[in-house]
Amino acid sequence: ITSIAAGIDRLYHLKPHEIQLGILKRLKGVPIDRHTDNFQMVYSAQAPYEILSNSTVSPDQMLWLKRLTHYFEAIYNQARFPETLALIDRHYPSIYALFEQLTRHFWQTFERTHGLPLFRIAEELGRFLINQHTINESAIREAIHADFYRVYGRREVLKY
């Protein structure tokens, strides 16, 4: 997990448009099969045959990483929170460490990774950041509101 964290942080500091995180899959004819025995790879029995664990990542860690990738996708890759991410960037040296904590918070709050309305993601992201006491609360509220309402016609009202 440490090398995954370092890799995500290095990529994030390069400021790419998107960072594709995901769990490797064993597809027919793909050379990952040659590593199955050496790394004790365990794959799901159904397509898309995701890796469930290996010699360095337990099943629980793999499940947790899968959750992190979903939340990362919703917040970073879909470019829904540019103001908030700019604020985060100035106050958190490790985006991975932040998403590690955020994943725990989101999972405890939502108990799911899919089908989350954007206004709920925005509200919980704001609450989480406010509870961290790292960034000024009014700055967080301004950034979340700016990001959420930059799409014309939003009818949902953020409740925080």
Side-chain angles (χ1 to χ4, degrees):
I1 298 289
T2 304
S3 65
I4 293 169
I8 290 170
D9 282 343
R10 273 195 310 275
L11 285 171
Y12 180 78
H13 290 296
L14 295 173
K15 300 295 177 220
H17 171 70
E18 179 179 357
I19 300 173
Q20 290 189 1
L21 302 176
I23 306 303
L24 287 175
K25 296 159 184 66
R26 182 185 68 190
L27 303 172
K28 194 173 189 176
V30 175
I32 197 170
D33 270 337
R34 68 178 175 225
H35 301 292
T36 297
D37 292 334
N38 289 346
F39 293 99
Q40 302 165 356
M41 306 282 226
V42 176
Y43 303 97
S44 64
Q46 291 86 23
Y49 311 108
E50 289 183 329
I51 295 175
L52 301 175
S53 66
N54 63 33
S55 59
T56 59
V57 182
S58 73
D60 287 341
Q61 290 172 317
M62 195 67 75
L63 180 60
W64 185 85
L65 283 169
K66 194 171 180 180
R67 290 176 186 156
L68 184 139
T69 64
H70 286 289
Y71 299 135
F72 192 88
E73 177 70 24
I75 293 168
Y76 180 80
N77 284 345
Q78 293 187 11
R80 294 173 169 163
F81 297 96
E83 297 292 325
T84 306
L85 286 168
L87 193 60
I88 287 169
D89 198 38
R90 291 191 296 271
H91 292 88
Y92 288 90
S94 170
I95 195 70
Y96 180 86
L98 176 69
F99 268 89
E100 183 177 42
Q101 295 170 26
L102 183 63
T103 295
R104 285 189 185 93
H105 173 78
F106 271 31
W107 185 253
Q108 288 174 346
T109 302
F110 299 123
E111 294 184 342
R112 62 186 174 152
T113 55
H114 291 83
L116 299 173
L118 183 58
F119 79 94
R120 290 287 290 130
I121 292 171
E123 286 178 342
E124 284 308 315
L125 178 58
R127 283 188 191 106
F128 170 80
L129 291 171
I130 288 167
N131 289 335
Q132 295 293 301
H133 304 290
T134 303
I135 305 172
N136 175 284
E137 184 175 333
S138 63
I140 294 166
R141 289 181 189 279
E142 279 181 35
I144 294 281
H145 280 216
D147 289 337
F148 185 74
Y149 292 113
R150 72 186 167 99
V151 175
Y152 179 74
R154 282 226 197 273
R155 294 189 176 140
E156 302 94 349
V157 177
L158 294 177
K159 297 178 183 173
Y160 82 101

